[in-house]
Amino acid sequence: MTWTITASLDEFRAAAGEYLAAHPAENTALLTIADRLERNGLNAFGAQPPRFGWWRPRPDAPVDGVFLQTPPYPPRLGRTPVGAGAALADALHARGEALAAVSGGKAAALAFAERWQRLTGAEPAVRTDERLYRLDGLTPPSPAPEGRFRLARSADRELLIEWLTAFVAEAGVMEPDLDAAAIVDQRIAERSWHVWESAGRPVSFAGASPVIAGMSRIGPVYTPPEHRRNGYAGAVVAGASAHAVAEGAGEVLLYTDLANPTSNSVYQKLGYRPVEDCIVLDLN
C-alpha cells in the first residue's frame, strides 16, 4: 500500500483529480478546499503550506484514497478505505508530523486515529459526529414561512459578518484567525450565499458552494436565536438547494451535526438522504 504526499496542488489534481470527481459526495470537502486554494492561493487557510496525498493499493494501481491538510486545520480524509486510513497514520508519523486531530469518513478516520494512538500514545476523543446527506428530490416546506428567498447582497454585509462569527462560536468550529469580513465579501461576490427575508429584514442565511465536479454543498446555515422555530432555516436551505440545482449541480450535499436532531429532521423532510457518517477526532 502506497501513499504519495506532496505540497503541489497541481500534482494532486493531476494524480487524483479523476478520483475526486468520480466520488463527489464523499470527496465534497476536498473538492471545495482545493477549489478555494486555486482561487485564493495556497495560503488561503493559513501561513503554512498545505499538503495533499493519494493512495494506491499497489504502485501500478488506480488511486483509491485521498487526503489533504491546510494547517492549522487537521488532515481531512476523502473517500478512503479503512486500511489506507491506518496506512496514512504510518506515513505521516514516519515524516515526523505532530497532529492534533484528524477528520473524514468515520471508518477511515477511526482507523487513522487507532493507528496514531499505537504509534504515539495519543488518546483519540470525538470532537464532532456528523452525517453527510445528499439531496434526493427537493420537497420545499409547505406551508412556507412568511417571507421570501433571495441572494445575499452588499447591504447584508455587516449582518452576515455578525452571523458568521456567531455561527462559528455556536458550532464550535475551529476557525483560527477567522477573517469573517473577507469570507462574507467573497461569498457575496460569487453569489454563493443566500438569505430568507421576513418583513423586509434577513432572518436566516445559507451558503451553497460553487458547483465543482457537478457538486455543490450547502453550508453554513444559521438563524439567530430570536428568529428560530419559525421554519426559516428549512426555507432558506430549500432555496439554496434549488439555486444549486439551477446552477448545474447534479449532487447537492450538506453536513449535519448528529447531536442536533432538529436539523437532521428538517433536512430529511426537504428530501436529503444519508450518504455516510463523518467524524472529527482530537488526538490528545
Side-chain angles (χ1 to χ4, degrees), residues 178-209:
L178 175 75
D179 190 343
I183 293 170
V184 169
D185 288 342
Q186 180 161 10
R187 303 304 192 271
I188 290 174
E190 68 188 16
R191 297 166 57 86
S192 66
W193 273 15
H194 315 270
V195 302
W196 189 265
E197 185 179 81
S198 178
R201 297 173 56 246
V203 291
S204 186
F205 91 97
S209 68

Side-chain angles (χ1 to χ4, degrees), residues 5 24 32 38 72 98 103 105 118 136 161 181 200 218 226 250 263:
I5 299 173
T32 53
E38 177 69 24
S103 65
R118 289 197 291 271
D136 181 24
I161 292 171
I218 305 300
E226 65 271 22
S263 63

Side-chain angles (χ1 to χ4, degrees), residues 36-53:
R36 193 63 61 188
L37 292 170
E38 177 69 24
R39 289 168 179 255
N40 295 355
L42 293 181
N43 293 327
F45 296 92
Q48 298 180 59
R51 58 186 153 197
F52 314 90

